[in-house]
Amino acid sequence: MRNFVVTIDGKSYSVGVEEVAADGSAAPAVTNIAPKAVEQTKKAEPAPKAAAATVKGEEVKSPFPGLIKNILVESGAQVKKNQPIVVLEAMKMDNDITAPCDGTVTINVNKGANVDTGAVLAVIS
């Protein structure tokens, strides 16, 4: 049996996989190895939800799933149309997410957070 660590949705699991011979029969028995304690990865802080509910304006949504690598402006800052506001990493590439209009930005995510497609990253009012 071989042990592996698998991470699903940020949670790590230790799993054992039984080896099989080429003919499909079970491989010779191997002494069972005690599972190791798996160190949990540090999760990013959850995004502030209250701000999104109270601020009305144009939502800036994530075009694809990814990791918030950097936040380029602070909440309350004035932004111009097409100004980069968040850097979203997806498939090892950095993507600038820009403001769709002029206005005051309210950031709804934290650096290091994983987001899904359609997640509201910011609101411009």
Side-chain angles (χ1 to χ4, degrees):
M1 180 168 303
R2 295 186 60 188
N3 288 331
F4 296 92
V5 175
V6 179
T7 303
I8 301 172
D9 292 329
K11 188 170 181 181
S12 296
Y13 301 90
S14 179
V15 295
V17 178
E18 185 177 333
E19 294 183 46
V20 179
D23 65 0
S25 64
V30 178
T31 305
N32 218 357
I33 301 171
K36 294 181 182 177
V38 178
E39 183 178 322
Q40 293 293 324
T41 56
K42 182 180 177 187
K43 290 189 176 189
E45 294 178 23
K49 300 288 183 187
T54 59
V55 177
K56 296 193 189 254
E58 187 151 354
E59 294 179 335
V60 180
K61 295 183 178 182
S62 177
F64 36 76
L67 170 75
I68 302 299
K69 191 165 183 186
N70 202 1
I71 297 174
L72 304 174
V73 296
E74 293 183 16
S75 283
Q78 293 294 313
V79 294
K80 297 287 185 189
K81 182 176 182 175
N82 297 324
Q83 176 181 343
I85 57 175
V86 174
V87 178
L88 179 65
E89 181 184 290
M91 296 175 44
K92 306 283 184 201
M93 293 182 64
D94 290 350
N95 301 279
D96 286 341
I97 306 301
T98 60
C101 59
D102 294 353
T104 303
V105 66
T106 301
I107 302 294
N108 291 348
V109 292
N110 292 319
K111 184 175 179 178
N114 286 306
V115 295
D116 292 323
T117 302
V120 178
L121 307 177
V123 177
I124 311 285
S125 56

